[in-house]
Amino acid sequence: MFQNLTAAPDDPILGLNEKFKQDQRSGKVNLIVGVYQDESGEIPEFQAVAEARRRLAGPHKANYLPIEGDPAYGTLATQLILGSDAPRMAQGAWVAAQTLGGTGGLRVVADFLARCQVVQTVWHTNPTWVNHQAIFQAAGLQTAAFPYLDAAGKGLDFTAMMAALEQIPTGQAVLIHGCCHNPTGVDPTPAQWQEIVTLLKQRQLLPILDCAYQGFGAGLEADALACRLVSEQIDEAVIIQSFSKNFSLYNQRVGAAIFLTKSQAEAQVLRSQVKAAIRANYSNPPQHGAAIVRTVLGDSELRGSWQAELEDMRQRIATLRQRFAASLREKCAVDFSHISQQAGMFSFSGLTPEQVTRLRDEFGVYFVGNGRMNVAGLNESNLEPTTRAIAAVVNSVVPDTVPANA
Ligand code: LMR
């Protein structure tokens, strides 16, 4: 039965990361996966997370969580993105499910939309995160793209995006990153967000906001702007959160799918359908990661410490962006100044697939094939070798000093 199978392609992000691990060159640089690394290239643990883990140590509670996960966690996660005084929370017009990271949250949303035939097509930005289409298609939904980047691939083409959104048939879904757009790092301005929300409302399109990087763009509160505008102005919407990045809990798989409804009565019906979708998938979520997040968000001291460390990370990435752009300006004939204006962990470099391949093969510098780079993978020791390698590729001359691994 299995003998005629053909191999599926490697995942463009996680598959490439496997190749990176096998690369024996000592000076290799990993700018692939959206993971925050510190100066020494390690994934740091937040002090608040370490303290929460200490507090949670003790007799193991082994019983199943509810299908939709820990309710206290769901409330705290929703308050973080909507604001602790969000009127719709007081009204009960929302449902939160604890999910297996952001990807698991997207899949719960996709399964729910498909099983309840809420929409047929999910429209996404072009480009979007490499896994978005696969997740919604796997649930049986169609996907289609609307324009996002300008012709130079460096900024938002707001006019083209709005014109395309106008044409999407009423009753379909629009998937967009609520902050820190992946893969481009290009976000709408607050004023543009307001226009987008007004249009989605007028056209009766279902917003699906993917928010995996809250705190890495303009700040923890500022990054929630799009979700809060949607929550305040549109009756029905979906938000997906991940705590992989902003809690450094990548392998704990902690996320949430938040559904906004018109009323508490509708929320109850919707909750039953979300539970049915989860039960047919992974039954119920694991406990530990969500307990860590609940402990930190529910304790003002731990929360303050977490927030301060997250803000330090955000600022470090912003500084790296400036230094990286300045170093590229010195060495390259090509303009990379857009890197300094983008937000979050990612930049869309504008490098071609051939240039990305050369960077990997000749210099051991790994980008995703579409030219996306994780700025949070740069540090004091790899920043200059990386810019020299990029200069060598885009200027098409061998640089004076090539990285040790070349
Ligand atoms: C990324 O885009 O690098 C992250 O969201 C990790 C992943 O699962 O692709």
Side-chain angles (χ1 to χ4, degrees):
M1 284 182 179
F2 299 153
Q3 70 192 6
N4 292 327
L5 293 179
T6 52
D10 285 343
D11 182 78
I13 296 176
L14 300 183
L16 188 60
N17 210 42
E18 292 305 314
K19 284 209 176 72
F20 177 85
K21 284 185 203 154
Q22 286 153 17
D23 190 329
Q24 297 300 317
R25 289 173 287 183
S26 60
K28 61 185 181 175
V29 179
N30 188 344
L31 306 179
I32 308 167
V33 193
V35 165
Y36 179 88
Q37 296 155 57
D38 64 14
E39 241 345 275
S40 53
E42 299 297 324
I43 298 176
E45 182 174 46
F46 285 86
Q47 284 174 24
V49 167
E51 175 55 25
R53 288 202 299 111
R54 274 189 289 275
R55 290 188 194 176
L56 289 166
H60 181 53
K61 298 202 182 83
N63 208 350
Y64 290 122
L65 287 185
I67 293 174
E68 72 272 43
D70 175 349
Y73 161 86
T75 301
L76 287 162
T78 309
Q79 284 172 340
L80 185 71
I81 193 77
L82 295 188
S84 49
D85 52 359
R88 82 159 56 238
M89 291 190 75
Q91 292 152 11
W94 62 287
V95 172
Q98 176 193 331
T99 59
L100 309 184
T103 307
L106 285 158
R107 185 57 196 260
V108 167
V109 170
D111 284 344
F112 160 77
L113 294 177
R115 68 178 275 124
C116 297
Q117 300 183 339
V118 178
V119 299
Q120 283 96 41
T121 307
V122 175
W123 291 76
H124 58 80
T125 60
N126 180 24
T128 195
W129 179 46
V130 294
N131 209 15
H132 270 158
Q133 287 162 290
I135 291 169
F136 286 93
Q137 287 172 7
L141 296 165
Q142 289 166 11
T143 59
F146 59 88
Y148 192 72
L149 278 190
D150 59 23
K154 295 179 177 177
L156 181 65
D157 190 340
F158 187 64
T159 310
M161 178 176 80
M162 294 298 274
L165 289 178
E166 286 266 11
Q167 300 304 316
I168 297 177
T170 286
Q172 302 300 342
V174 171
L175 167 67
I176 186 163
H177 287 104
C179 63
C180 307
H181 185 264
N182 180 1
T184 66
V186 173
D187 284 334
T189 63
Q192 288 171 334
W193 269 122
Q194 180 54 69
E195 287 189 52
I196 295 168
V197 171
T198 303
L199 183 67
L200 295 176
K201 184 180 163 83
Q202 267 167 9
R203 301 276 315 138
Q204 294 177 37
L205 298 167
L206 179 75
I208 304 177
L209 295 173
D210 184 357
C211 259
Y213 293 84
Q214 187 186 357
F216 286 101
L220 197 62
E221 293 294 307
D223 288 349
L225 175 88
C227 294
R228 292 181 188 178
L229 290 177
V230 163
S231 169
E232 285 156 18
Q233 298 174 29
I234 300 185
D235 284 339
E236 296 171 333
V238 185
I239 296 168
I240 298 105
Q241 274 173 305
S242 167
F243 295 113
S244 300
K245 332 279 175 180
N246 56 15
F247 271 79
S248 264
L249 287 174
Y250 302 92
N251 61 14
Q252 294 286 351
R253 311 309 295 139
V254 203
I258 300 164
F259 300 82
L260 309 183
T261 61
K262 283 201 185 107
S263 67
Q264 188 165 20
E266 288 183 16
Q268 273 172 19
V269 177
L270 188 143
R271 175 179 285 109
S272 71
Q273 289 291 355
V274 169
K275 285 168 68 174
I278 293 172
R279 178 70 171 140
N281 186 349
Y282 53 86
S283 191
N284 48 69
Q287 172 173 266
H288 192 60
I292 294 172
V293 172
R294 185 199 63 215
T295 304
V296 172
L297 292 181
D299 179 295
S300 56
E301 202 181 315
L302 294 186
R303 190 181 178 118
S305 150
W306 165 71
Q307 222 166 300
E309 273 193 78
L310 179 59
E311 179 59 15
D312 287 348
M313 289 180 181
R314 185 184 80 81
Q315 289 189 7
R316 180 170 162 269
I317 299 175
T319 306
L320 282 168
R321 276 187 186 283
Q322 302 308 326
R323 293 201 31 221
F324 189 54
S327 178
L328 288 168
R329 193 162 44 243
E330 274 170 23
K331 299 180 183 61
C332 297
V334 176
D335 176 25
F336 284 107
S337 56
H338 57 284
I339 288 177
S340 64
Q341 284 134 37
Q342 296 166 343
M345 288 195 195
F346 302 122
S347 263
F348 219 38
S349 61
L351 295 173
T352 64
E354 294 72 31
Q355 290 170 329
V356 170
T357 304
R358 275 193 66 196
L359 277 173
R360 187 185 67 217
D361 293 350
E362 294 175 33
F363 299 95
V365 174
Y366 283 69
F367 282 46
V368 179
N370 60 10
R372 186 193 85 170
M373 58 171 290
N374 174 28
V375 185
L378 292 170
N379 57 42
E380 287 292 334
S381 46
N382 69 19
L383 192 142
E384 283 298 315
T386 300
T387 54
R388 282 201 298 271
I390 293 172
V393 167
V394 299
N395 298 345
S396 278
V397 292
V398 179
D400 295 336
T401 333
V402 291
N405 57 337

